[in-house]
Amino acid sequence: MLILGLETSCDETGVALYDTDRGLLAHALFSQIDIHVEYGGVVPELASRDHVRKTLPLLEEVMTEAGVTAKDIDGVAYTAGPGLVGALMVGATLARSLAWGWGVPALGVHHMEGHLLAPMLEEKHPEFPFVALLVSGGHTQLVRVDGIGEYKLLGESLDDAAGEAFDKVAKMLGLPYPGGPQVAKLAAEGDSDRFDFPRPMVNRPGLDFSFSGLKTFTLNTVDDCKIDGVLAPQDRADIARAFEDAVVSTLTIKCRRALKQEGLKTLVMAGGVSANLSLRAALKEALAKERAEVFYPAPQFCTDNGAMIAYAGAQRLAAGQADDDGAAVRPRWPMDQLPPIEAA
C-alpha cells in the first residue's frame, strides 16, 4: 500500500509518501519558526493559515519526487490530534477531501503514536515489546508498548512537559524561540560543576515527572546571578548547563527505573526533545550498563513530520482500519484510547 501522510498539528507542515513494501519514498517539511519567532511562541491562527498555504505545494513536491500520481495512492493518513484545533482541521479537511476524490480510505492518526513509531522508519529498528519515552514540548510520558495500539501508560509529567520547561528557561535566559535547541547550544559552553540543580521526583517511587519546581529553581538562580538586572554571558551558559543536566539526569533515572519495572531491555525515545545530544549520550551510557539498548529516530524525524504519520497510518490502513462518517479532529486525545491493530 502507498500511503500519503499529512502532519499539521502545530507549527510544522509535513507531507510524506510511505509504501508498505518499499518504505519511505519521499517527504518534505516546512517549519514556521520564522513566523512565530517574534511572538516568542506559536500563534494558533497564524499556524493554521500557513498550513493552508503550504500543504498543497508540499504535496506536489513530494509526489513529483516520488514519481507517483494520484492513481497510485491507496490511502491518506493525517494527524487528527492532539494539537491545535485549527491546524488539525486544515490537515483533516484536505486529507479527507483528497481521499474522497481519489476513492481511497482516510484515517486520522494520533500524533504521539506517530512519534512513538518513528524509529520504525530506521533500518535498524526496535522489536516489540519495549518502553517508550515520549518527550516533547507538550508531552513527557513513559509508555509500555506491546504492539501497535497496545499501550500502557507508566508515568507522565504532572505539570510542565520537559520541552515546555526548556522553552520557558530559554525565555529566562533571553534566548529566542524555539528555546530547546538554544538552551542545549548554550549549555555546551557551560561549566557543569558550578551549579547543582535538583532532580525532581527521583527520590520517590513511581515513574511520574514534574518540571515546574526545576523551572522555578532556575528562575531563582537567574535572579540571584543578575547584577544590576543583567546576567553575564558565562552565568547564562552555566545555568543552561545545570538545567539541561538536571533534565537529562531525571529522564535517564526514570527510564532505567521503567525498564527494570517492566523487565524489558529495549527503550524507544521519540519526540522533539529526543534530538538532544546530551540526552542521547546519557541514555546510551546508562542503558549499556544494564545491557539494554535505546532506539530513536533520525534527527529529521524527531520533530513533527509527515513520515511518521504516513508510517503509522499505513500500519492501521493495511489492517483495515479507516475513518467513518463521524470522524473528527481531537485536540485532546489519550493514547490509551487507540484500538490495537488486531482489533481491525
Side-chain angles (χ1 to χ4, degrees), residues 33-339:
I33 287 176
D34 291 344
I35 295 173
H36 302 289
V37 65
E38 65 177 294
Y39 303 100
V42 178
V43 180
E45 179 63 22
L46 296 181
S48 301
R49 291 181 182 182
D50 204 61
H51 287 310
V52 172
R53 287 191 288 265
K54 295 299 190 302
T55 309
L56 278 176
L58 287 178
L59 171 59
E60 294 173 358
E61 175 186 333
V62 166
M63 292 180 69
T64 299
E65 180 183 342
V68 304
T69 63
K71 70 179 188 306
D72 299 313
I73 295 176
D74 300 304
V76 183
Y78 62 93
T79 304
L84 303 174
V85 64
L88 292 169
M89 289 180 66
V90 173
T93 301
L94 176 59
R96 299 191 71 186
S97 297
L98 290 172
W100 182 84
W102 294 340
V104 299
L107 177 68
V109 171
H110 193 290
H111 180 76
M112 296 310 295
E113 180 173 72
H115 276 304
L116 185 152
L117 296 176
M120 299 298 188
L121 292 165
E122 305 305 312
E123 184 175 351
K124 182 182 179 182
H125 55 76
E127 301 291 336
F128 301 114
F130 54 78
V131 169
L133 171 65
L134 302 177
V135 56
S136 66
H139 298 81
T140 302
Q141 298 178 327
L142 281 165
V143 181
R144 180 186 171 109
V145 181
D146 288 295
I148 297 177
E150 299 179 61
Y151 308 131
K152 175 187 175 184
L153 180 64
L154 303 176
E156 61 185 338
S157 179
L158 304 179
D159 38 61
D160 291 356
E164 184 182 4
F166 265 100
D167 287 340
K168 290 179 177 178
V169 167
K171 289 185 178 181
M172 297 175 197
L173 298 175
L175 299 173
Y177 168 86
Q182 299 291 337
V183 172
K185 182 178 179 180
L186 183 60
E189 304 171 9
D191 180 358
S192 61
D193 295 325
R194 182 176 175 191
F195 297 111
D196 184 17
F197 281 20
R199 276 57 172 162
M201 296 184 70
V202 298
N203 293 323
R204 65 177 69 177
L207 295 170
D208 287 331
F209 303 90
S210 172
F211 294 105
S212 62
L214 176 60
K215 180 186 64 179
T216 301
F217 190 95
T218 304
L219 178 60
N220 290 337
T221 305
V222 168
D223 291 339
D224 290 343
C225 289
K226 284 182 178 178
I227 299 175
D228 296 328
V230 178
L231 195 63
Q234 191 58 50
D235 290 337
R236 293 169 72 242
D238 293 345
I239 291 170
R241 177 62 180 270
F243 170 78
E244 182 184 59
D245 285 350
V247 173
V248 167
S249 178
T250 300
L251 293 174
T252 301
I253 290 168
K254 292 299 180 83
C255 286
R256 292 179 65 185
R257 187 179 296 177
L259 288 171
K260 183 176 181 180
Q261 173 183 300
E262 298 302 309
L264 298 175
K265 294 293 185 179
T266 303
L267 177 75
V268 163
M269 179 173 63
V273 181
S274 68
N276 184 284
L277 297 180
S278 295
L279 179 57
R280 290 190 176 204
L283 280 173
K284 182 178 181 180
E285 179 181 359
L287 296 190
K289 298 176 182 177
E290 309 287 343
R291 295 186 178 179
E293 193 170 6
V294 59
F295 293 83
Y296 34 71
Q300 63 183 329
F301 298 134
C302 288
T303 55
D304 297 351
N305 63 87
M308 68 183 193
I309 301 304
Y311 177 85
Q315 309 314 304
R316 291 186 174 276
L317 285 164
Q321 297 182 9
D323 283 352
D324 57 28
D325 291 338
V329 299
R330 301 179 65 177
R332 297 183 181 276
W333 189 4
M335 199 165 62
D336 59 8
Q337 294 182 0
L338 294 174

